[in-house]
């Protein structure tokens, strides 16, 4: 079975500061990993995905994530936070075969002016 | 590209009535669609996997007679909440996996907020 743990249900950073959202996964097979963002009362938008190619993945809006197999992690980062980054972020894992996504609990990102 | 729509975006109904929610992939074909439920400030819970032309596969604990899913075409899946009760009030989100391309990627609809009075 696969699972995802997002450390920190709420992260608050200042505008212009580094954003780091943590995600650890558990999978018995090589995983496909995803980060999604959700704005209030909206669906999910894909930020980036890892599918066994490059371990450093660049996504939209300046976000990137690094797959570290030894640490079973897929942390999301952005060098400089913008006010528009305030949202809920979900990390998800899939085995690619069953195609089902297993989501983490989510991390609410707040940006302080 | 890869747009998924849901209709309605919100619905309020009386207890005991049935509500149908539509999920459409607008610019791609999807053999597989997924239905999720999200409670306030919580993560998404997969309810069922819907494959075009076949019966949906429900997750453990989800009542298939209460949440009827029909995947009639490669671009449309519907979720019907039968005999809705206040505890069914939630945010329902669908997603679609493209027939071609992508590796495990799903595209999500904007969600439907159901309120049962």
């Amino acid at each position: 079975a696969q699972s995802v743990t997002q450390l920190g249900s709420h992260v608050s950073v200042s505008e212009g500061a580094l954003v780091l959202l943590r995600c650890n996964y558990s999978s018995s097979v090589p995983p496909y990993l995803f980060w999604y963002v959700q704005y209030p009362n909206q669906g999910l938008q894909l930020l980036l995905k890892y599918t066994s190619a490059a371990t450093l993945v660049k996504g939209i809006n300046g976000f990137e994530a690094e797959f570290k197999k030894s640490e079973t992690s897929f942390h999301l980062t952005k060098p400089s936070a913008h006010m528009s980054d305030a949202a809920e972020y979900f990390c998800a894992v899939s085995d690619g075969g069953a195609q089902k996504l297993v989501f983490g609990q989510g991390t609410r990102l707040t940006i302080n002016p | 590209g890869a747009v998924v729509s849901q209709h309605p975006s919100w619905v309020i109904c009386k207890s005991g009535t049935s509500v149908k929610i539509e999920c459409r992939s607008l610019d791609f074909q999807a053999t597989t669609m997924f239905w999720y439920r999200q409670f306030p400030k919580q993560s998404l819970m997969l309810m069922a996997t819907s494959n075009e032309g076949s019966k949906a596969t429900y997750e453990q604990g989800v009542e298939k007679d209460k949440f009827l899913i029909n995947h009639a075409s490669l671009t449309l899946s519907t979720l019907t909440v039968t005999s809705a009760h206040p505890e069914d009030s939630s945010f329902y989100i669908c997603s679609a996996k493209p027939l071609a391309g992508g590796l495990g990627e799903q595209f999500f609809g904007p969600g439907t907020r159901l309120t049962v009075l």
Side-chain angles (χ1 to χ4, degrees):
Chain A
Q2 298 176 302
S3 66
V4 173
T5 301
Q6 290 182 240
L7 299 176
S9 59
H10 187 198
V11 171
S12 182
V13 302
S14 299
E15 190 174 17
L18 171 72
V19 174
L20 171 61
L21 304 183
R22 299 178 186 274
C23 172
N24 288 88
Y25 70 91
S26 173
S27 178
S28 58
V29 298
Y32 292 173
L33 293 159
F34 306 83
W35 275 101
Y36 286 89
V37 61
Q38 184 181 33
Y39 297 99
N41 296 310
Q42 295 186 27
L44 275 66
Q45 180 182 9
L46 180 68
L47 281 176
L48 48 80
K49 62 181 178 181
Y50 165 77
T51 55
S52 75
T55 56
L56 181 61
V57 181
K58 294 187 182 298
I60 63 172
N61 301 340
F63 285 94
E64 63 181 39
E66 185 172 8
F67 172 71
K68 292 186 176 181
K69 183 178 179 180
S70 61
E71 299 178 8
T72 61
S73 68
F74 190 57
H75 301 331
L76 181 71
T77 60
K78 181 174 180 177
S80 177
H82 293 171
M83 296 299 293
S84 60
D85 294 327
E88 189 85 17
Y89 291 80
F90 292 96
C91 182
V93 63
S94 167
D95 65 4
Q99 304 176 352
K100 293 193 293 186
L101 287 175
V102 176
F103 284 89
Q105 307 91 315
T107 298
R108 180 172 300 276
L109 177 63
T110 301
I111 311 297
N112 302 313
Chain B
V3 178
V4 176
S5 69
Q6 281 184 241
H7 178 80
S9 56
W10 61 270
V11 57
I12 301 173
C13 69
K14 293 182 178 180
S15 185
T17 61
S18 294
V19 175
K20 179 184 284 188
I21 302 170
E22 290 186 349
C23 176
R24 293 181 184 272
S25 56
L26 298 185
D27 50 4
F28 66 97
Q29 293 182 320
T31 52
T32 304
M33 291 184 172
F34 304 86
W35 286 96
Y36 296 86
R37 184 173 181 177
Q38 186 180 33
F39 291 103
K41 301 187 186 301
Q42 294 189 28
S43 188
L44 281 73
M45 181 192 78
L46 179 65
M47 299 175 66
T49 302
S50 167
N51 290 296
E52 186 266 338
S54 62
K55 291 183 178 180
T57 302
Y58 291 82
E59 296 298 301
Q60 192 172 8
V62 178
E63 298 177 62
K64 60 182 179 182
D65 294 331
K66 181 168 189 60
F67 298 99
L68 301 178
I69 292 173
N70 184 282
H71 194 154
S73 74
L74 288 174
T75 60
L76 173 64
S77 177
T78 60
L79 168 68
T80 301
V81 183
T82 62
S83 187
H85 291 285
E87 57 265 30
D88 299 324
S89 298
S90 190
F91 194 51
Y92 292 88
I93 303 176
C94 74
S95 70
K97 185 180 183 303
L99 176 61
L103 290 173
E105 185 173 344
Q106 298 176 21
F107 297 95
F108 286 78
T112 296
R113 184 160 303 283
L114 170 63
T115 302
V116 184
L117 303 177

